Amino acid sequence: MKQRPTQNLVNAFVRHTTGVLELNRPKALNSLNHEMVDIISDALETWRDDDSVHRVIICSSSERGFCAGGDVRSCREEGLAGDFDSGDRFFRAEYEMNRQLEEFPKTIVAVIDGVAMGGGLGVSVHGSHRVVTEKAFAAMPEMAIGFIPDVGTTWMMQRMVGECGEAIPELATFLGITGWRLTPADMLWSGLATDLIASEDVDRFIDTVIAESLDDALEQYAHPLDFVDAGELEGLLPDIRATFGHDSWAEIDHALSSHGNAAFVARVRELMAKSSPTSVVAAAELYAANREARDIAHALENEYALGAALRREHDFSEGVRAVLVDKDRNPTFEPSHTGDVDVDFYRTILKHR
Ligand code: QUE
Protein backbone atom coordinates (compact mmCIF):
# COMPACT_ATOMS: atom_id res chain seq x y z
CA MET A 1 0.00 0.00 0.00
CA LYS A 2 2.98 2.29 0.57
CA GLN A 3 3.30 3.08 -3.15
CA ARG A 4 0.42 5.52 -3.28
CA PRO A 5 1.06 8.50 -1.01
CA THR A 6 -1.73 11.10 -1.08
CA GLN A 7 -2.92 14.09 0.88
CA ASN A 8 -6.06 12.34 2.12
CA LEU A 9 -6.22 11.57 5.84
CA VAL A 10 -7.85 8.27 4.87
CA ASN A 11 -7.36 6.76 1.43
CA ALA A 12 -10.60 5.03 0.48
CA PHE A 13 -10.63 3.11 -2.78
CA VAL A 14 -11.77 -0.16 -4.33
CA ARG A 15 -9.23 -2.58 -5.73
CA HIS A 16 -10.67 -5.61 -7.51
CA THR A 17 -13.47 -6.65 -5.11
CA THR A 18 -11.99 -5.19 -1.91
CA GLY A 19 -12.77 -1.81 -0.38
CA VAL A 20 -9.58 -0.43 1.14
CA LEU A 21 -9.50 2.12 3.97
CA GLU A 22 -5.91 3.20 4.51
CA LEU A 23 -5.41 5.47 7.53
CA ASN A 24 -3.00 8.20 6.45
CA ARG A 25 -2.25 10.69 9.20
CA PRO A 26 1.21 9.42 10.12
CA LYS A 27 2.41 12.45 12.10
CA ALA A 28 -0.42 11.93 14.63
CA LEU A 29 -0.04 8.13 14.57
CA ASN A 30 -3.33 8.03 12.60
CA SER A 31 -5.32 9.41 15.54
CA LEU A 32 -8.83 9.91 14.19
CA ASN A 33 -10.41 13.31 13.63
CA HIS A 34 -13.88 14.19 12.36
CA GLU A 35 -12.80 14.34 8.71
CA MET A 36 -11.32 10.82 8.91
CA VAL A 37 -14.45 9.44 10.54
CA ASP A 38 -16.59 10.98 7.80
CA ILE A 39 -14.46 9.43 5.03
CA ILE A 40 -14.73 5.99 6.66
CA SER A 41 -18.48 6.33 7.29
CA ASP A 42 -19.22 7.46 3.73
CA ALA A 43 -17.16 4.62 2.22
CA LEU A 44 -18.89 2.01 4.40
CA GLU A 45 -22.29 3.33 3.46
CA THR A 46 -21.42 3.11 -0.24
CA TRP A 47 -19.77 -0.31 -0.04
CA ARG A 48 -22.44 -1.86 2.15
CA ASP A 49 -24.92 -2.22 -0.74
CA ASP A 50 -22.41 -2.39 -3.61
CA ASP A 51 -22.39 -6.04 -4.73
CA SER A 52 -19.03 -5.58 -6.48
CA VAL A 53 -17.41 -4.97 -3.05
CA HIS A 54 -17.00 -8.31 -1.26
CA ARG A 55 -14.93 -7.26 1.74
CA VAL A 56 -13.21 -4.31 3.40
CA ILE A 57 -9.62 -3.95 4.58
CA ILE A 58 -8.63 -1.32 7.15
CA CYS A 59 -4.90 -0.66 7.31
CA SER A 60 -2.30 2.05 7.85
CA SER A 61 -0.01 3.86 5.40
CA SER A 62 2.55 4.20 8.18
CA GLU A 63 5.16 1.75 9.43
CA ARG A 64 4.81 3.44 12.83
CA GLY A 65 1.50 1.86 13.72
CA PHE A 66 -2.19 1.34 13.07
CA CYS A 67 -4.03 4.03 15.08
CA ALA A 68 -3.26 5.65 18.45
CA GLY A 69 -6.79 6.80 19.24
CA GLY A 70 -8.97 9.84 18.75
CA ASP A 71 -7.84 13.41 18.25
CA VAL A 72 -8.27 14.33 21.91
CA ARG A 73 -5.66 17.08 21.67
CA SER A 74 -7.99 19.13 19.44
CA CYS A 75 -10.92 18.33 21.74
CA ARG A 76 -9.00 19.70 24.69
CA GLU A 77 -8.09 22.91 22.87
CA GLU A 78 -11.67 23.47 21.74
CA GLY A 79 -12.94 22.80 25.25
CA LEU A 80 -10.50 25.25 26.80
CA ALA A 81 -11.87 27.86 24.35
CA GLY A 82 -15.41 27.08 25.55
CA ASP A 83 -16.38 24.99 22.52
CA PHE A 84 -17.68 21.57 23.58
CA ASP A 85 -19.98 21.35 20.57
CA SER A 86 -17.22 20.32 18.16
CA GLY A 87 -16.16 17.50 20.49
CA ASP A 88 -19.77 16.41 20.91
CA ARG A 89 -20.21 16.20 17.14
CA PHE A 90 -16.91 14.37 16.66
CA PHE A 91 -17.71 11.69 19.24
CA ARG A 92 -21.27 11.28 17.91
CA ALA A 93 -19.86 10.71 14.42
CA GLU A 94 -17.13 8.36 15.65
CA TYR A 95 -19.55 6.19 17.65
CA GLU A 96 -21.99 6.09 14.73
CA MET A 97 -19.10 4.78 12.60
CA ASN A 98 -18.39 2.13 15.29
CA ARG A 99 -22.03 1.05 15.07
CA GLN A 100 -21.85 0.95 11.26
CA LEU A 101 -18.82 -1.34 11.49
CA GLU A 102 -20.58 -3.62 13.96
CA GLU A 103 -23.60 -3.95 11.64
CA PHE A 104 -21.62 -4.25 8.41
CA PRO A 105 -22.77 -7.40 6.58
CA LYS A 106 -19.44 -8.24 4.89
CA THR A 107 -15.99 -9.34 6.01
CA ILE A 108 -13.94 -6.50 7.53
CA VAL A 109 -10.24 -7.17 8.04
CA ALA A 110 -8.14 -4.79 10.13
CA VAL A 111 -4.38 -5.23 9.68
CA ILE A 112 -2.62 -4.12 12.87
CA ASP A 113 1.17 -3.73 12.65
CA GLY A 114 2.08 -1.55 15.65
CA VAL A 115 -0.05 0.50 18.04
CA ALA A 116 -3.84 0.12 18.29
CA MET A 117 -5.36 2.14 21.14
CA GLY A 118 -8.77 3.64 21.85
CA GLY A 119 -10.28 4.74 18.53
CA GLY A 120 -7.90 2.33 16.76
CA LEU A 121 -9.64 -0.55 18.48
CA GLY A 122 -12.97 1.09 17.60
CA VAL A 123 -12.22 0.72 13.87
CA SER A 124 -11.09 -2.90 14.29
CA VAL A 125 -12.90 -4.81 17.06
CA HIS A 126 -16.32 -4.49 15.46
CA GLY A 127 -15.20 -6.14 12.22
CA SER A 128 -14.90 -9.86 11.53
CA HIS A 129 -11.07 -10.16 11.49
CA ARG A 130 -8.12 -8.51 13.20
CA VAL A 131 -4.85 -9.67 11.71
CA VAL A 132 -1.91 -8.67 13.90
CA THR A 133 1.86 -8.86 13.51
CA GLU A 134 4.59 -9.47 16.08
CA LYS A 135 4.88 -5.66 16.34
CA ALA A 136 1.23 -5.14 17.33
CA PHE A 137 0.17 -3.93 20.75
CA ALA A 138 -3.14 -2.65 22.08
CA ALA A 139 -4.51 -0.74 25.05
CA MET A 140 -7.43 1.26 26.33
CA PRO A 141 -5.38 4.05 28.01
CA GLU A 142 -8.16 6.56 28.79
CA MET A 143 -7.77 6.48 32.59
CA ALA A 144 -4.55 8.49 32.05
CA ILE A 145 -6.37 11.35 30.29
CA GLY A 146 -9.42 11.75 32.52
CA PHE A 147 -11.70 10.02 30.01
CA ILE A 148 -13.40 6.61 29.78
CA PRO A 149 -12.99 3.54 27.53
CA ASP A 150 -15.31 4.02 24.56
CA VAL A 151 -15.80 3.37 20.80
CA GLY A 152 -17.99 0.39 21.71
CA THR A 153 -15.17 -1.50 23.43
CA THR A 154 -16.97 -1.50 26.80
CA TRP A 155 -19.64 -3.56 25.04
CA MET A 156 -17.60 -5.64 22.57
CA MET A 157 -14.67 -6.55 24.83
CA GLN A 158 -17.08 -7.99 27.41
CA ARG A 159 -18.47 -10.29 24.70
CA MET A 160 -15.52 -11.22 22.48
CA VAL A 161 -14.12 -14.76 22.50
CA GLY A 162 -10.50 -15.51 21.64
CA GLU A 163 -8.24 -18.53 22.15
CA CYS A 164 -9.44 -18.48 25.76
CA GLY A 165 -12.74 -19.92 24.46
CA GLU A 166 -15.22 -17.76 26.33
CA ALA A 167 -16.34 -14.19 26.89
CA ILE A 168 -14.75 -12.79 30.07
CA PRO A 169 -16.48 -9.57 31.24
CA GLU A 170 -14.10 -9.13 34.21
CA LEU A 171 -11.18 -9.17 31.77
CA ALA A 172 -12.67 -6.25 29.82
CA THR A 173 -13.10 -4.29 33.07
CA PHE A 174 -9.50 -5.10 34.07
CA LEU A 175 -8.14 -3.99 30.68
CA GLY A 176 -10.09 -0.72 30.69
CA ILE A 177 -9.34 0.22 34.29
CA THR A 178 -5.64 -0.68 34.30
CA GLY A 179 -4.86 0.35 30.70
CA TRP A 180 -2.95 -2.96 30.38
CA ARG A 181 -0.82 -3.05 27.23
CA LEU A 182 -1.70 -6.25 25.38
CA THR A 183 1.00 -8.09 23.45
CA PRO A 184 0.13 -9.98 20.24
CA ALA A 185 -0.29 -13.19 22.29
CA ASP A 186 -2.55 -11.37 24.78
CA MET A 187 -4.60 -10.06 21.85
CA LEU A 188 -5.07 -13.53 20.29
CA TRP A 189 -5.88 -15.09 23.65
CA SER A 190 -8.49 -12.46 24.56
CA GLY A 191 -10.06 -12.14 21.11
CA LEU A 192 -8.80 -8.65 20.29
CA ALA A 193 -6.91 -10.37 17.46
CA THR A 194 -8.07 -13.26 15.28
CA ASP A 195 -4.98 -14.07 13.20
CA LEU A 196 -1.20 -13.59 13.25
CA ILE A 197 1.16 -12.74 10.37
CA ALA A 198 4.75 -11.49 10.09
CA SER A 199 5.28 -7.74 9.86
CA GLU A 200 7.51 -8.23 6.80
CA ASP A 201 4.58 -9.92 5.02
CA VAL A 202 1.96 -7.18 5.59
CA ASP A 203 2.04 -5.72 2.06
CA ARG A 204 2.08 -9.16 0.43
CA PHE A 205 -0.76 -10.29 2.74
CA ILE A 206 -2.93 -7.29 1.75
CA ASP A 207 -2.13 -7.79 -1.95
CA THR A 208 -3.12 -11.45 -1.67
CA VAL A 209 -6.43 -10.64 0.05
CA ILE A 210 -7.16 -8.25 -2.83
CA ALA A 211 -5.96 -10.53 -5.66
CA GLU A 212 -7.30 -13.82 -4.25
CA SER A 213 -9.25 -13.96 -0.96
CA LEU A 214 -8.86 -13.62 2.79
CA ASP A 215 -8.82 -17.40 3.19
CA ASP A 216 -6.03 -17.74 0.62
CA ALA A 217 -4.02 -14.92 2.21
CA LEU A 218 -4.36 -16.47 5.68
CA GLU A 219 -3.43 -19.88 4.30
CA GLN A 220 -0.25 -18.41 2.81
CA TYR A 221 0.81 -16.04 5.58
CA ALA A 222 -0.77 -16.94 8.93
CA HIS A 223 1.56 -18.14 11.67
CA PRO A 224 0.72 -20.31 14.68
CA LEU A 225 0.72 -18.75 18.17
CA ASP A 226 4.29 -19.85 18.88
CA PHE A 227 5.49 -17.30 16.30
CA VAL A 228 5.30 -14.76 19.18
CA ASP A 229 6.30 -14.83 22.86
CA ALA A 230 3.75 -16.25 25.29
CA GLY A 231 1.44 -13.63 26.79
CA GLU A 232 1.27 -12.78 30.46
CA LEU A 233 -2.42 -11.92 30.58
CA GLU A 234 -3.72 -15.50 30.55
CA GLY A 235 -1.81 -16.29 33.75
CA LEU A 236 -3.48 -13.37 35.54
CA LEU A 237 -6.99 -14.62 34.81
CA PRO A 238 -7.67 -16.25 38.22
CA ASP A 239 -6.67 -13.01 39.97
CA ILE A 240 -8.68 -10.91 37.53
CA ARG A 241 -11.76 -13.09 38.05
CA ALA A 242 -11.35 -12.86 41.82
CA THR A 243 -11.17 -9.06 41.87
CA PHE A 244 -12.65 -7.32 38.81
CA GLY A 245 -16.06 -9.03 38.65
CA HIS A 246 -17.90 -6.28 40.50
CA ASP A 247 -20.27 -3.49 39.50
CA SER A 248 -18.46 -0.55 41.15
CA TRP A 249 -14.92 0.62 41.79
CA ALA A 250 -15.58 0.59 45.56
CA GLU A 251 -16.28 -3.16 45.38
CA ILE A 252 -13.33 -3.89 43.06
CA ASP A 253 -11.04 -1.83 45.31
CA HIS A 254 -12.27 -3.75 48.35
CA ALA A 255 -11.73 -7.08 46.60
CA LEU A 256 -8.19 -6.01 45.68
CA SER A 257 -7.45 -4.93 49.25
CA SER A 258 -8.41 -8.34 50.62
CA HIS A 259 -6.96 -10.42 47.75
CA GLY A 260 -4.37 -13.04 48.63
CA ASN A 261 -1.98 -12.50 45.71
CA ALA A 262 -0.04 -9.42 46.84
CA ALA A 263 2.12 -9.36 43.69
CA PHE A 264 -0.99 -9.09 41.49
CA VAL A 265 -2.48 -6.34 43.65
CA ALA A 266 0.79 -4.39 43.61
CA ARG A 267 0.88 -4.74 39.83
CA VAL A 268 -2.67 -3.38 39.48
CA ARG A 269 -1.94 -0.45 41.81
CA GLU A 270 1.23 0.33 39.84
CA LEU A 271 -0.61 0.22 36.48
CA MET A 272 -3.21 2.60 37.93
CA ALA A 273 -0.74 5.03 39.53
CA LYS A 274 -1.30 7.77 36.91
CA SER A 275 -5.06 7.25 36.55
CA SER A 276 -7.74 9.87 37.07
CA PRO A 277 -9.77 8.77 40.14
CA THR A 278 -12.90 10.16 38.46
CA SER A 279 -12.20 8.11 35.32
CA VAL A 280 -11.72 4.93 37.37
CA VAL A 281 -14.97 5.34 39.30
CA ALA A 282 -16.92 6.28 36.14
CA ALA A 283 -15.40 3.44 34.07
CA ALA A 284 -16.41 0.77 36.61
CA GLU A 285 -19.99 2.06 36.41
CA LEU A 286 -19.83 2.05 32.59
CA TYR A 287 -18.62 -1.57 32.37
CA ALA A 288 -21.39 -2.63 34.75
CA ALA A 289 -24.05 -0.83 32.70
CA ASN A 290 -22.75 -2.13 29.37
CA ARG A 291 -22.44 -5.68 30.64
CA GLU A 292 -26.24 -5.67 30.50
CA ALA A 293 -26.84 -3.24 27.61
CA ARG A 294 -29.23 -4.79 25.13
CA ASP A 295 -27.26 -3.85 22.02
CA ILE A 296 -24.25 -1.83 20.91
CA ALA A 297 -26.35 1.26 20.18
CA HIS A 298 -27.42 1.47 23.83
CA ALA A 299 -23.85 0.80 24.96
CA LEU A 300 -22.51 3.58 22.72
CA GLU A 301 -25.21 5.90 24.08
CA ASN A 302 -23.93 5.20 27.61
CA GLU A 303 -20.33 5.86 26.52
CA TYR A 304 -21.39 9.08 24.80
CA ALA A 305 -23.34 10.45 27.75
CA LEU A 306 -20.59 9.65 30.25
CA GLY A 307 -17.81 10.86 27.93
CA ALA A 308 -19.61 14.13 27.22
CA ALA A 309 -19.76 14.80 30.97
CA LEU A 310 -16.10 13.93 31.53
CA ARG A 311 -14.87 16.05 28.59
CA ARG A 312 -16.31 19.07 30.40
CA GLU A 313 -14.37 18.34 33.59
CA HIS A 314 -10.92 19.38 34.78
CA ASP A 315 -9.31 15.93 34.62
CA PHE A 316 -9.77 15.65 30.85
CA SER A 317 -7.87 18.82 29.93
CA GLU A 318 -5.30 18.07 32.66
CA GLY A 319 -4.83 14.44 31.59
CA VAL A 320 -4.49 15.26 27.88
CA ARG A 321 -2.06 18.03 28.85
CA ALA A 322 0.10 15.66 30.90
CA VAL A 323 0.11 12.80 28.37
CA LEU A 324 -0.09 14.46 24.95
CA VAL A 325 0.69 18.20 25.19
CA ASP A 326 3.42 18.81 27.80
CA LYS A 327 4.13 15.06 28.01
CA ASP A 328 5.33 15.41 31.61
CA ARG A 329 3.12 12.45 32.64
CA ASN A 330 2.58 14.25 35.92
CA PRO A 331 -1.11 15.24 36.07
CA THR A 332 -2.84 16.83 39.05
CA PHE A 333 -6.22 15.15 39.18
CA GLU A 334 -9.09 16.51 41.27
CA PRO A 335 -10.48 14.86 43.33
CA SER A 336 -7.26 12.98 43.96
CA HIS A 337 -8.82 9.93 45.67
CA THR A 338 -11.52 7.63 44.30
CA GLY A 339 -13.34 7.83 47.66
CA ASP A 340 -13.99 11.53 47.03
CA VAL A 341 -15.61 11.00 43.61
CA ASP A 342 -19.40 11.49 43.47
CA VAL A 343 -20.27 8.04 42.10
CA ASP A 344 -24.02 8.75 42.03
CA PHE A 345 -23.50 11.57 39.57
CA TYR A 346 -21.92 9.20 37.01
CA ARG A 347 -24.26 6.31 37.81
CA THR A 348 -27.26 8.53 37.07
CA ILE A 349 -25.89 9.45 33.64
CA LEU A 350 -25.95 5.77 32.60
CA LYS A 351 -29.56 5.20 31.66
CA HIS A 352 -29.37 2.22 29.35
CA ARG A 353 -29.06 -1.26 30.79
C1 QUE B 1 -5.16 8.05 25.98
C2 QUE B 1 -5.71 8.37 24.75
C3 QUE B 1 -4.91 8.70 23.65
C4 QUE B 1 -3.53 8.66 23.83
C5 QUE B 1 -2.97 8.34 25.05
C6 QUE B 1 -3.80 8.04 26.11
C7 QUE B 1 -5.44 9.09 22.38
C8 QUE B 1 -4.51 9.46 21.35
C9 QUE B 1 -3.11 9.40 21.58
C10 QUE B 1 -2.10 9.79 20.65
C11 QUE B 1 -0.85 9.18 20.69
C12 QUE B 1 0.16 9.57 19.82
C13 QUE B 1 -0.04 10.61 18.93
C14 QUE B 1 -1.28 11.23 18.93
C15 QUE B 1 -2.29 10.83 19.78
O1 QUE B 1 -2.68 8.97 22.80
O2 QUE B 1 -6.67 9.12 22.18
O3 QUE B 1 -1.49 12.25 18.07
O4 QUE B 1 0.93 11.01 18.06
O5 QUE B 1 -4.97 9.87 20.15
O6 QUE B 1 -3.25 7.73 27.32
O7 QUE B 1 -7.07 8.39 24.61
Side-chain angles (χ1 to χ4, degrees):
M1 299 282 88
K2 272 109 201 163
Q3 71 276 14
R4 70 167 75 223
T6 70
Q7 305 285 84
N8 305 329
L9 294 179
V10 180
N11 291 316
F13 53 91
V14 176
R15 260 176 79 195
H16 193 42
T17 56
T18 300
V20 179
L21 292 166
E22 185 190 50
L23 307 178
N24 185 37
R25 196 188 178 203
K27 279 182 225 150
L29 259 177
N30 289 336
S31 68
L32 301 171
N33 64 19
H34 203 142
E35 182 183 338
M36 295 165 79
V37 167
D38 283 345
I39 296 169
I40 296 169
S41 268
D42 291 349
L44 290 172
E45 194 176 311
T46 304
W47 295 342
R48 185 184 198 288
D49 302 314
D50 182 340
D51 291 339
S52 70
V53 176
H54 297 179
R55 67 191 75 77
V56 173
I57 287 184
I58 304 184
C59 57
S60 166
S61 66
S62 166
E63 318 239 318
R64 290 180 57 225
F66 178 68
C67 174
D71 190 354
V72 288
R73 236 180 311 208
S74 297
C75 271
R76 171 180 180 273
E77 278 165 30
E78 292 154 359
L80 289 173
D83 169 19
F84 294 101
D85 230 52
S86 300
D88 289 347
R89 279 186 273 106
F90 164 68
F91 280 98
R92 278 255 180 250
E94 184 181 25
Y95 297 177
E96 174 57 23
M97 172 194 72
N98 300 137
R99 203 190 55 76
Q100 258 180 302
L101 287 161
E102 201 267 342
E103 289 193 334
F104 200 74
K106 303 172 189 180
T107 298
I108 302 180
V109 191
V111 180
I112 301 174
D113 185 25
V115 60
M117 300 195 303
L121 290 176
V123 292
S124 52
V125 288
H126 304 300
S128 55
H129 294 75
R130 289 157 302 283
V131 178
V132 298
T133 74
E134 75 279 8
K135 293 182 185 164
F137 64 95
M140 291 305 292
E142 290 81 6
M143 300 298 96
I145 59 161
F147 199 52
I148 38 115
D150 64 342
V151 294
T153 62
T154 66
W155 189 82
M156 186 57 84
M157 287 171 71
Q158 300 203 68
R159 288 159 177 82
M160 68 190 183
V161 178
E163 298 279 339
C164 62
E166 60 180 319
I168 311 171
E170 309 93 303
L171 177 64
T173 308
F174 168 84
L175 293 172
I177 286 186
T178 64
W180 177 270
R181 181 171 154 151
L182 294 99
T183 64
D186 290 342
M187 293 175 77
L188 288 155
W189 175 74
S190 65
L192 266 191
T194 57
D195 302 278
L196 179 63
I197 64 173
S199 183
E200 62 177 14
D201 289 335
V202 161
D203 288 353
R204 281 186 290 269
F205 172 81
I206 292 172
D207 287 342
T208 305
V209 173
I210 290 166
E212 299 171 39
S213 70
L214 176 61
D215 286 349
D216 287 330
L218 286 173
E219 184 144 330
Q220 289 175 49
Y221 294 106
H223 283 277
L225 250 174
D226 66 7
F227 179 66
V228 289
D229 293 337
E232 202 189 342
L233 192 56
E234 179 176 3
L236 301 180
L237 185 57
D239 296 306
I240 291 169
R241 280 199 204 278
T243 51
F244 277 82
H246 297 283
D247 287 349
S248 69
W249 172 249
E251 292 167 282
I252 295 170
D253 192 28
H254 184 262
L256 285 165
S257 296
S258 51
H259 186 58
N261 185 344
F264 172 78
V265 176
R267 189 80 179 277
V268 169
R269 303 287 189 205
E270 174 62 26
L271 288 165
M272 294 181 64
K274 297 288 171 69
S275 297
S276 155
T278 297
S279 288
V280 168
V281 168
E285 298 297 315
L286 178 61
Y287 280 101
N290 283 351
R291 187 142 57 238
E292 289 157 36
R294 100 181 60 125
D295 56 28
I296 193 171
H298 287 84
L300 287 164
E301 191 59 43
N302 278 335
E303 290 176 353
Y304 178 82
L306 194 57
L310 289 193
R311 279 186 288 108
R312 285 159 171 77
E313 294 188 14
H314 163 266
D315 281 10
F316 179 72
S317 58
E318 173 62 4
V320 174
R321 182 204 63 74
V323 174
L324 292 172
V325 181
D326 299 338
K327 303 185 183 174
D328 58 23
R329 291 234 158 224
N330 193 19
T332 308
F333 289 130
E334 176 60 42
S336 58
H337 298 286
T338 53
D340 296 326
V341 176
D342 181 4
V343 61
D344 287 330
F345 175 73
Y346 302 102
R347 194 172 285 161
T348 308
I349 290 172
L350 299 165
K351 298 187 189 71
H352 300 285
R353 305 251 169 176

